[in-house]
Amino acid sequence: MHTFNDVHQQFAEYFGIPALKPYAYLLSRKLSEGHICLDLEKPPAGTEELPAFYALPPAGSQPLASIALVGKNGDDKHPFVLYQNRLYLQRYFRYETGFLNRIRQFLAEEKEHLPQRLALLQEHRDFISQLFANTNSSAPTQDEQADWPLAAAITGILQNFTIITGGPGTGKTTTVAKILAILYTTNPELKVALAAPTGKAAARMAESLRQTKIPLAPAILEQFQALHPSTIHRLLKPIAGSPAFRHNRQQPLGYDVVIVDECSMIDVALFAKLLDAIASGTRLIMLGDKDQLASVEAGSLFGDLCLAQERLNVFSAARVALINSFINDPKAHISDSHISDDQHHPLFEHLVELRRSHRFTGHTGIGSFSKAVIQNNVKALHQFLPPATDEQVIIDPVYSNALFEQFIAGYSSFIGEKEIPAALKKMNALRVLCAVRDGDQGLHVLNTRIEKYLDSKKLIQLSAPFYANRPIILTRNYYEHGLFNGDTGIIRPDEDGTLMAWFEDSSGTLRSIMPGYLSEAETAFAMTIHKSQGSEFDEVLVVLPPHADAPLLTSELLYTAVTRARKKAYIQGSPETILAAANRVVERASGIAARFQADNTN
């Protein structure tokens, strides 16, 4: 009797069909790496990843098409689906298909509303022009001068499905605030849902909207204060012990507008269920940074949608003329270079990228470095690598212990803060971020180093697993307590001296729970870069593994890590490691772009 230690091999052997085994093995492996499917058109289709006793058939042969367990049309009778030369598990094919079909429904539904919405724009022309009176005319390039926030707002008003992407500080939330201001002006009874994959991201979006500096009527500002952010899980209302939610196609959400932030973090399963639960006629506005890391689970759908067209920010001549008619400063007009005659793509005029960062300006600092990483601009990166220096991005190739201890000494600020809400805020002023969980530069070793240092300074006492001032991050959902994977909290005594885990919910309300109920929580002095998505800190210390060939090191990972910082990013890593990361791009297989194109031409 054979025993198999490789879980992918166990999966392949389960089906007992020799011709299927190598494909099942590779598909299982790809799913574990975040792919939705196995792309059979990319030679050698991962043959180097196959165990020696598996072998793919010769090129040109099509054994999958004749295997009984492989369906061709996505029906529920087959565990595998072969579609457009991609092999899926049935479940993931259904998720991808449902996701695409629901987007097509959004696009079809909005057509009948366009004349009325165009009239609405004209009716409120003065108000809209005033909202966007401050232009980008001082921006360094013509493309950054263009008023992309206004273009995004008009897109969001006219259409039922809108994607707004942009890096940190490009004004995504401010643009949403202006869209809501216009919609509330036209419909004071508007029902709006704000959601994000994590509680922290949802709370940050709501806080930004409530603290908006936009001059608005008191009634609209009051509606902003009443907005209640939610995680996507809370919004959909999970059913305990089930992957299903209470809100679905049969029981849709009762909102006029659903706004979802940090969409790059959403996996295909949750994305499909979210779209399924949005009622017909609802506007969906998706926000995110297409250059950020994709979800930990399978799927990179937000990035796939942003890449589905060859170019972002392309419109018809009529739409460009409409947008420019609201812009008083000619320097901020959308140029003719963004007019496209190819208007057949389903997402045409539905994707807008905000291109000017108000947080990171100039040719130095975090903005410039992160841009160089994503573009793999080696020349620009060398301007940051030692012996070159930068005030915002400090690179430490020798992994200085003195620098490490100087940084983590900053945790004394939240530890010394008596008030729990203020301590939670100060705790999020800085964070150590790592790429991996194991090894000297991994999560476990770094948290232990930090704990020992703080203990030696008498700032904490490592007397028990849950000690006072231990920051924690949840690693699974606790539906029964209203807490979710990725929520961060702090251990502090209550009025009776009992140690409790304290969290702020998305509305800013403080809540506590016995730590013993949170069996799956990790220390969060250091956290993985994946877990840091949706969070922002004043300063971060990014600790990279020393080996440049580490497969996890990608441009998306380094970009995400550095852009978590608002003011300063320290990077412990060699120049070779940084350059290798910038040169390695995550490519996840899915059928999103190809199916949009193929289904549109059929």
Side-chain angles (χ1 to χ4, degrees):
M1 182 171 176
H2 293 286
T3 58
F4 304 109
N5 295 323
D6 185 341
V7 66
H8 310 304
Q9 188 179 346
Q10 292 175 25
F11 178 78
E13 292 294 329
Y14 173 80
F15 297 98
I17 301 174
L20 179 61
K21 287 180 183 180
Y23 294 102
Y25 181 95
L26 289 173
L27 177 57
S28 175
R29 182 158 183 155
K30 292 298 181 187
L31 285 170
S32 73
E33 295 169 356
H35 302 261
I36 295 176
C37 57
L38 175 64
D39 190 341
L40 301 174
E41 292 184 351
K42 291 195 172 179
T47 50
E48 72 282 356
E49 300 170 0
L50 277 170
F53 44 82
Y54 289 153
L56 288 171
S61 60
Q62 296 181 326
L64 285 173
S66 59
I67 295 174
L69 294 181
V70 180
K72 314 304 180 297
N73 300 311
D75 59 67
D76 292 337
K77 297 176 183 177
H78 303 88
F80 297 90
V81 175
L82 180 62
Y83 190 81
Q84 293 181 349
N85 218 16
R86 292 177 177 85
L87 183 66
Y88 296 80
L89 281 182
Q90 173 68 240
R91 178 161 63 106
Y92 286 97
F93 183 78
R94 287 205 311 270
Y95 285 146
E96 186 178 273
T97 301
F99 178 80
L100 289 165
N101 287 343
R102 187 64 188 95
I103 291 176
R104 291 190 187 95
Q105 289 170 11
F106 279 115
L107 304 180
E109 290 164 2
E110 70 192 20
K111 291 178 181 176
E112 63 182 275
H113 298 290
L114 280 175
Q116 174 194 356
R117 292 172 180 175
L118 282 165
L120 181 147
L121 285 173
Q122 299 296 351
E123 182 183 342
H124 296 277
R125 168 176 291 279
D126 291 342
F127 174 64
I128 295 170
S129 293
Q130 188 176 2
L131 267 182
F132 290 89
N134 296 322
T135 70
N136 292 334
S137 57
S138 61
T141 68
Q142 194 281 326
D143 209 36
E144 290 178 348
Q145 288 177 19
D147 199 338
W148 295 120
L150 174 61
I154 287 179
T155 301
I157 298 297
L158 290 178
Q159 292 161 178
N160 282 18
F161 180 77
T162 302
I163 292 175
I164 302 174
T165 184
T170 51
K172 297 186 291 292
T173 307
T174 301
T175 301
V176 165
K178 293 178 179 181
I179 293 173
L180 288 178
I182 298 166
L183 292 175
Y184 276 134
T185 299
T186 60
N187 178 12
E189 304 301 317
L190 194 76
K191 296 178 181 176
V192 178
L194 302 179
T198 66
K200 180 68 67 180
R204 203 177 75 235
M205 175 169 57
E207 185 179 9
S208 297
L209 289 172
R210 290 174 187 145
Q211 296 179 355
T212 181
K213 301 293 194 296
I214 305 168
L216 297 171
I220 294 178
L221 289 173
E222 191 175 322
Q223 285 165 310
F224 275 33
Q225 298 304 315
L227 290 169
H228 295 290
S230 167
T231 63
I232 297 171
H233 282 82
R234 287 191 186 106
L235 180 69
L236 298 180
K237 293 186 168 36
I239 300 171
S242 167
F245 294 94
R246 299 192 188 282
H247 286 296
N248 50 39
R249 192 176 306 174
Q250 289 72 40
Q251 301 270 338
L253 296 162
Y255 296 97
D256 302 304
V257 182
V258 175
I259 300 168
V260 187
D261 198 7
E262 297 290 353
C263 286
S264 64
M265 298 171 63
I266 309 174
D267 62 77
V268 63
L270 187 57
F271 237 142
K273 292 170 184 176
L274 171 64
L275 266 62
D276 204 39
I278 295 177
S280 176
T282 303
R283 280 184 176 91
L284 173 63
I285 299 174
M286 293 166 49
L287 310 174
D289 184 345
K290 65 179 175 59
D291 295 323
Q292 261 190 208
L293 277 170
S295 64
V296 176
E297 304 299 329
S300 55
L301 299 196
F302 184 78
D304 290 344
L305 288 173
C306 291
L307 296 173
Q309 293 186 104
E310 287 187 11
R311 286 199 301 154
L312 294 171
N313 295 9
V314 287
F315 305 93
S316 65
R319 180 65 60 85
V320 167
L322 174 69
I323 294 168
N324 286 342
S325 73
F326 286 85
I327 302 173
N328 296 322
D329 184 351
K331 293 180 182 177
H333 280 184
I334 310 300
S335 71
D336 288 351
S337 65
H338 293 278
I339 295 174
S340 174
D341 295 327
D342 183 11
Q343 303 176 19
H344 301 294
H345 197 284
L347 295 178
F348 180 70
E349 296 188 329
H350 288 76
L351 292 88
V352 181
E353 180 181 24
L354 307 183
R355 292 181 169 170
R356 185 190 181 194
S357 176
H358 301 276
R359 183 184 306 166
F360 305 127
T361 58
H363 300 288
T364 60
I366 293 169
S368 180
F369 179 80
S370 58
K371 185 177 181 181
V373 167
I374 283 298
Q375 295 177 347
N376 189 23
N377 186 333
V378 175
K379 182 179 179 181
L381 285 171
H382 273 288
Q383 295 176 9
F384 294 88
L385 301 176
T389 59
D390 183 86
E391 289 186 3
Q392 278 195 327
V393 180
I394 296 92
I395 294 174
D396 168 29
V398 298
Y399 294 85
S400 163
N401 189 60
L403 174 64
F404 186 84
E405 290 186 350
Q406 178 186 342
F407 184 86
I408 64 175
Y411 283 128
S412 62
S413 178
F414 90 82
I415 293 171
E417 173 58 56
K418 303 298 183 187
E419 299 297 325
I420 294 174
L424 283 166
K425 285 183 173 58
K426 289 183 177 181
M427 185 181 83
N428 287 319
L430 70 157
R431 195 61 47 93
V432 176
L433 303 179
C434 52
V436 295
R437 299 182 66 84
D438 301 314
D440 289 344
Q441 288 75 36
L443 179 72
H444 305 299
V445 168
L446 291 178
N447 269 317
T448 300
R449 280 180 66 189
I450 296 167
E451 286 178 322
K452 287 181 176 178
Y453 173 84
L454 296 175
D455 185 44
S456 73
K457 300 298 182 183
K458 305 291 191 273
L459 292 168
I460 60 173
Q461 288 185 324
L462 297 174
S463 54
F466 287 102
Y467 54 84
N469 289 308
R470 179 190 174 195
I472 60 172
I473 183 168
L474 302 183
T475 56
R476 79 165 174 85
N477 296 321
Y478 289 89
Y479 297 120
E480 67 275 22
H481 303 305
L483 296 170
F484 296 87
N485 189 355
D487 286 355
T488 55
I490 184 175
I491 305 298
R492 282 280 178 95
D494 63 11
E495 293 177 354
D496 300 323
T498 304
L499 285 176
M500 305 289 287
W502 298 87
F503 297 86
E504 269 190 351
D505 66 20
S506 53
S507 62
T509 304
L510 197 65
R511 56 190 307 181
S512 64
I513 187 169
M514 293 287 290
Y517 290 124
L518 306 175
S519 57
E520 295 184 44
E522 296 180 337
T523 303
F525 288 115
M527 64 197 304
T528 63
I529 297 166
H530 270 98
K531 285 288 187 182
S532 74
Q533 285 184 268
S535 298
E536 289 181 351
F537 312 98
D538 289 339
E539 297 186 358
V540 299
L541 170 60
V542 183
V543 184
L544 300 177
H547 306 296
D549 58 352
L552 278 174
L553 283 177
T554 63
S555 59
E556 294 89 346
L557 187 90
L558 184 54
Y559 171 90
T560 301
V562 171
T563 56
R564 295 312 89 206
R566 286 184 287 257
K567 297 178 180 178
K568 190 169 287 191
Y570 300 87
I571 304 172
Q572 291 194 317
S574 69
E576 294 76 20
T577 299
I578 291 168
L579 292 171
N583 191 43
R584 191 179 293 119
V585 179
V586 174
E587 289 186 8
R588 287 188 171 182
S590 84
I592 296 295
R595 292 179 68 177
F596 259 133
Q597 286 289 86
D599 295 353
N600 192 53
T601 55
N602 287 344

